[in-house]
């Protein structure tokens, strides 16, 4: 979309940078994250109304510490420096930063010294619970700055040059451990920056549809590789609203889908929302290619290669196809531009990465500015069903990476039946929407059991449930014991081939959400 950010966040490597963006978006203000090395002329071209300088793990006095062009502080824009951002701003304007005698990581109490600017919603002497994460501190103020907040270990925990709208804080307002942090951020955005809360799901949909309609020529066609997941469904709905019948959605049944996935997609998108949908039954072809394959990476590559082949074959007859729709989200974009560089490759990506080049198509990525929760809100604004928008994420290689060992029709059916039990019990307990994902995994591990008077020797089912905000990290969900008990009892009693159920209590990192 051709939207200019109202706020630009410069990233100095903080683990909380994405969270800053999420919090500002929650205030209905559009912001973008850019690396701190962004040249000044490119920053000016973005025409932001305010800047936020993120935290970072390094010390500003180190030779290799990340820095920005100090000229950004002379642009006349409101600036909020957070932790490292405060220290860098202070150092560049003549202040002094030194290693602290006592590092400060965790909860602290900040006392408001001057209720100005970002502290305008507070009174002098108010004490705020805040979250600190630093080993350095500001020991000399830059000229023209004043101290507006103090803590026991940081006498200049908050500083300001109100006339220039420059503010710096040593703590992190974006984390939940700073309970009134959102009050401070709103004061920066609306009192200091005089911004308007115009970034809403409805405004996004309106702008995205207009952009797609203006970009695609009147005789051009667009193809969408539809998975049935939240991202591809919302992306397809946006394009359909802009293009109508000129959008063709291709859904490939690869044989490793969830139970009734194909029927659900057909019913929802074709019959209810009238999307131009072509369903390709390639189950036999995929399962034949997966015969005997047990290595996780080989499974992913096999499925990815076959998907591209099948997709090419069934889109070759689309006249004037010029674009491919892809459900890229903002975390994917951020990962490629972060000051810390792209993340290490843990496993090959399952998306349609090879298609645009091979088919000479240009990409349309209408969701590349959104976080997952914003995608759901945009879907709601378009009237998409709640149960579709709040479905748990599903891996591109499907059940192939939840069916450890060889993937066969018999083992897939066993896994689907177990997965249906997990889904049903999680929903019945009212836990579904509080979880990021919950699912069953079939392990090629046999153990001895007793059913009636007979000895059994059958496979093991692992149950996985996690909580997360974006899937980049997660913690295992503390499911109630009675829910786990019902899941285990039902799977063992109802699913032939499984006689043992275990619960996965590992988080990401060090584990991944999927088992393969």
């Amino acid at each position: 979309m051709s939207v200019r950010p109202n706020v630009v966040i410069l990233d100095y490597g903080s683990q909380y940078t994405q969270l800053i963006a999420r919090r500002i978006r929650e205030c209905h203000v559009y912001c973008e994250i850019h690396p701190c090395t962004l040249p000044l002329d490119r920053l000016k071209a973005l025409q932001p109304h305010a800047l936020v300088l993120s935290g970072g793990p390094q010390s500003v006095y180190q030779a290799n510490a990340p820095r920005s062009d100090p000229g950004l502080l002379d642009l006349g824009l409101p600036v909020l420096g957070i932790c490292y951002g405060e220290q860098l701003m202070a150092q560049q304007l003549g202040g002094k930063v030194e290693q602290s005698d006592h590092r400060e990581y965790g909860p602290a109490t900040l006392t408001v010294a001057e209720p100005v600017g970002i502290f305008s919603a507070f009174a002098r002497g108010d004490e705020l619970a805040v979250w600190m994460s630093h080993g350095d501190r500001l020991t000399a103020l830059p000229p023209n700055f004043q101290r507006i907040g103090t803590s026991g270990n940081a006498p200049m925990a908050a500083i300001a040059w109100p006339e220039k709208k420059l503010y710096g804080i040593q703590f992190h307002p974006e984390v939940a451990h700073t309970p009134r942090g959102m009050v401070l951020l709103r004061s920066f955005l609306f009192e200091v920056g005089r911004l308007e809360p115009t970034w809403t799901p409805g405004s996004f949909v309106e702008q995205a549809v207009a952009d797609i309609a203006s970009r695609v020529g009147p005789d051009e066609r667009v193809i969408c590789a539809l998975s049935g997941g939240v991202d591809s469904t919302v992306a397809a709905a946006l394009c359909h609203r802009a293009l109508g019948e000129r959008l063709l959605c291709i859904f490939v049944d690869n044989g490793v889908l969830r139970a009734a996935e194909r029927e659900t997609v057909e019913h929802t998108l074709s019959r209810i929302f009238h999307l131009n949908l072509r369903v390709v039954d390639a189950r036999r072809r995929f399962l034949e290619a997966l015969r005997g394959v047990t290595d996780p990476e080989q499974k992913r590559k096999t499925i990815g290669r076959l998907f591209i082949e099948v997709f090419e074959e069934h889109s070759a007859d689309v006249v004037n196809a010029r674009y491919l729709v892809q459900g890229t989200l903002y975390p994917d974009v951020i990962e490629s531009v972060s000051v810390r560089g792209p993340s290490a490759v843990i496993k090959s990506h399952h998306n349609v990465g090879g298609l645009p080049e091979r088919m000479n198509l240009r990409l349309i990525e209408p969701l590349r500015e959104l976080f997952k929760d914003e995608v759901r809100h945009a879907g709601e604004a378009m009237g998409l069903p709640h149960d579709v928008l709040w479905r748990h994420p599903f891996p591109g290689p499907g059940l192939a990476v939840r069916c450890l060992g060889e993937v066969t029709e018999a083992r897939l059916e066993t896994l689907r039946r177990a997965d249906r039990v997990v889904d049903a019990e999680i929903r019945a307990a009212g836990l579904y929407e509080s979880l990021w994902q919950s699912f069953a995994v079939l392990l090629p591990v046999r153990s001895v059991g007793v059913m009636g008077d007979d000895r059994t020797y059958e496979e093991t089912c692992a149950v996985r449930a996690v909580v997360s905000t974006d899937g980049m990290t997660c913690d295992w969900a503390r499911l109630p014991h009675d829910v786990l008990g019902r899941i285990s009892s039902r799977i063992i009693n109802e699913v032939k081939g499984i006689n043992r159920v275990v619960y996965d209590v590992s988080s990401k990192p060090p584990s991944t959400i999927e088992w393969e």
Side-chain angles (χ1 to χ4, degrees):
M1 274 176 49
S2 56
V3 179
R4 287 196 179 99
N6 283 320
V7 178
V8 165
I9 303 167
L10 295 181
D11 180 21
Y12 297 87
S14 171
Q15 61 180 316
Y16 299 133
T17 302
Q18 279 201 45
L19 190 54
I20 299 171
R22 292 178 65 86
R23 295 292 182 250
I24 292 176
R25 298 271 187 99
E26 287 171 14
C27 298
H28 301 299
V29 172
Y30 179 58
C31 64
E32 289 181 357
I33 298 172
H34 290 272
C36 62
T37 52
L38 186 72
L40 193 60
D41 59 342
R42 288 182 56 194
L43 175 62
K44 289 179 181 178
L46 293 173
Q47 298 181 2
H49 297 291
L51 302 176
V52 174
L53 314 182
S54 85
Q58 294 180 265
S59 298
V60 295
Y61 46 76
Q62 293 175 331
N64 62 343
R67 288 178 173 79
S68 299
D69 189 323
L72 65 86
L73 300 173
D74 294 324
L75 296 177
L77 298 174
V79 178
L80 175 63
I82 298 175
C83 201
Y84 182 95
E86 178 211 37
Q87 295 171 2
L88 180 64
M89 177 171 61
Q91 183 193 63
Q92 289 181 331
L93 292 176
K96 188 173 183 180
V97 178
E98 297 179 300
Q99 186 174 11
S100 178
D101 294 334
H102 302 284
R103 296 185 300 175
E104 197 168 24
Y105 296 98
T109 299
L110 178 130
T111 302
V112 176
E114 295 293 337
V116 298
I118 59 174
F119 288 160
S120 60
F122 305 110
R124 184 179 287 106
D126 278 358
E127 293 188 344
L128 311 179
V130 299
W131 187 261
M132 296 282 193
S133 181
H134 64 97
D136 301 321
R137 66 178 180 178
L138 184 62
T139 57
L141 279 172
N144 302 307
F145 275 77
Q146 63 184 108
R147 180 177 62 181
I148 62 172
T150 66
S151 73
N153 193 47
M156 287 169 269
I159 62 173
W161 185 353
E163 293 76 17
K164 289 281 190 177
K165 299 184 178 181
L166 302 180
Y167 293 86
I169 52 177
Q170 187 62 73
F171 58 93
H172 289 273
E174 68 275 18
V175 302
H177 302 292
T178 301
R180 302 182 73 183
M182 286 295 285
V183 176
L184 183 151
L185 287 175
R186 288 193 186 97
S187 293
F188 174 71
L189 297 172
F190 304 130
E191 298 298 325
V192 177
R194 299 297 179 186
L195 298 173
E196 296 292 333
T198 57
W199 176 249
T200 64
S203 68
F204 165 79
V205 169
E206 182 179 333
Q207 181 67 50
V209 169
D211 283 357
I212 296 166
S214 64
R215 181 178 177 188
V216 180
D219 298 323
E220 293 178 327
R221 302 284 302 279
V222 176
I223 304 173
C224 176
L226 194 68
S227 70
V230 176
D231 305 334
S232 71
T233 299
V234 173
L238 283 168
C239 290
H240 177 67
R241 183 169 287 195
L243 306 170
E245 288 298 306
R246 287 188 290 145
L247 170 71
L248 172 65
C249 298
I250 298 179
F251 177 81
V252 178
D253 185 348
N254 56 17
V256 288
L257 302 175
R258 288 175 283 201
E261 183 82 1
R262 176 174 164 180
E263 295 79 5
T264 300
V265 170
E266 285 187 286
H267 177 73
T268 303
L269 300 182
S270 180
R271 299 173 192 171
I272 298 180
F273 285 91
H274 310 294
L275 267 69
N276 188 10
L277 179 65
R278 180 181 297 178
V279 177
V280 178
D281 188 345
R283 290 175 292 182
R284 189 173 300 279
R285 186 168 171 180
F286 275 84
L287 291 179
E288 183 62 33
L290 289 168
R291 187 192 301 268
V293 177
T294 58
D295 178 72
E297 193 65 5
Q298 191 177 350
K299 287 181 184 178
R300 288 178 175 271
K301 289 180 177 178
T302 298
I303 291 171
R305 172 182 55 80
L306 262 183
F307 178 85
I308 291 176
E309 290 177 6
V310 171
F311 192 87
E312 280 185 303
E313 293 168 9
H314 289 272
S315 58
D317 62 342
V318 183
V319 179
N320 288 335
R322 296 290 182 267
Y323 295 89
L324 177 75
V325 180
Q326 191 162 289
T328 306
L329 300 191
Y330 197 43
D332 304 321
V333 178
I334 295 170
E335 193 170 89
S336 67
V337 299
S338 169
V339 66
R340 293 164 291 173
S343 298
V345 176
I346 306 301
K347 51 196 177 187
S348 61
H349 200 267
H350 65 262
N351 215 327
V352 292
L355 280 172
E357 295 81 8
R358 286 180 58 153
M359 299 177 66
N360 195 29
L361 296 173
R362 286 167 284 178
L363 276 177
I364 291 179
E365 299 172 302
L367 307 178
R368 64 181 282 115
E369 298 166 346
L370 303 189
F371 290 103
K372 190 78 170 190
D373 56 332
E374 293 174 322
V375 172
R376 289 184 166 123
H377 295 322
E380 289 172 346
M382 289 189 290
L384 292 177
H386 183 84
D387 59 337
V388 171
L389 295 174
W390 287 92
R391 294 188 75 190
H392 288 172
F394 189 62
L399 296 179
V401 293
R402 294 179 182 176
C403 185
L404 277 59
E406 185 177 9
V407 179
T408 67
E409 285 192 69
R411 296 190 74 227
L412 285 169
E413 184 54 32
T414 299
L415 177 55
R416 286 191 185 99
R417 293 179 63 190
D419 196 58
R420 279 199 296 263
V421 171
V422 174
D423 185 79
E425 291 298 332
I426 291 294
R427 290 179 185 275
L431 298 171
Y432 188 83
E433 291 186 12
S434 67
L435 301 175
W436 177 261
Q437 278 176 273
S438 57
F439 53 88
V441 181
L442 186 63
L443 308 182
V445 176
R446 294 184 179 271
S447 63
V448 173
V450 178
M451 291 187 178
D453 294 324
D454 292 331
R455 174 187 183 274
T456 62
Y457 190 57
E458 296 178 336
E459 290 188 305
T460 301
C461 173
V463 176
R464 180 77 157 140
V466 298
V467 291
S468 177
T469 56
D470 51 25
M472 300 184 75
T473 62
C474 76
D475 192 14
W476 62 276
R478 275 64 172 173
L479 296 183
H481 289 179
D482 60 329
V483 174
L484 288 172
R486 285 195 298 272
I487 290 173
S488 175
S489 177
R490 283 194 58 189
I491 289 176
I492 291 172
N493 282 291
E494 299 174 20
V495 183
K496 187 176 180 181
I498 295 175
N499 69 351
R500 190 176 298 272
V501 175
V502 298
Y503 187 55
D504 184 347
V505 293
S506 49
S507 298
K508 175 187 179 181
S511 301
T512 54
I513 295 178
E514 301 293 341
W515 275 52
E516 289 188 339

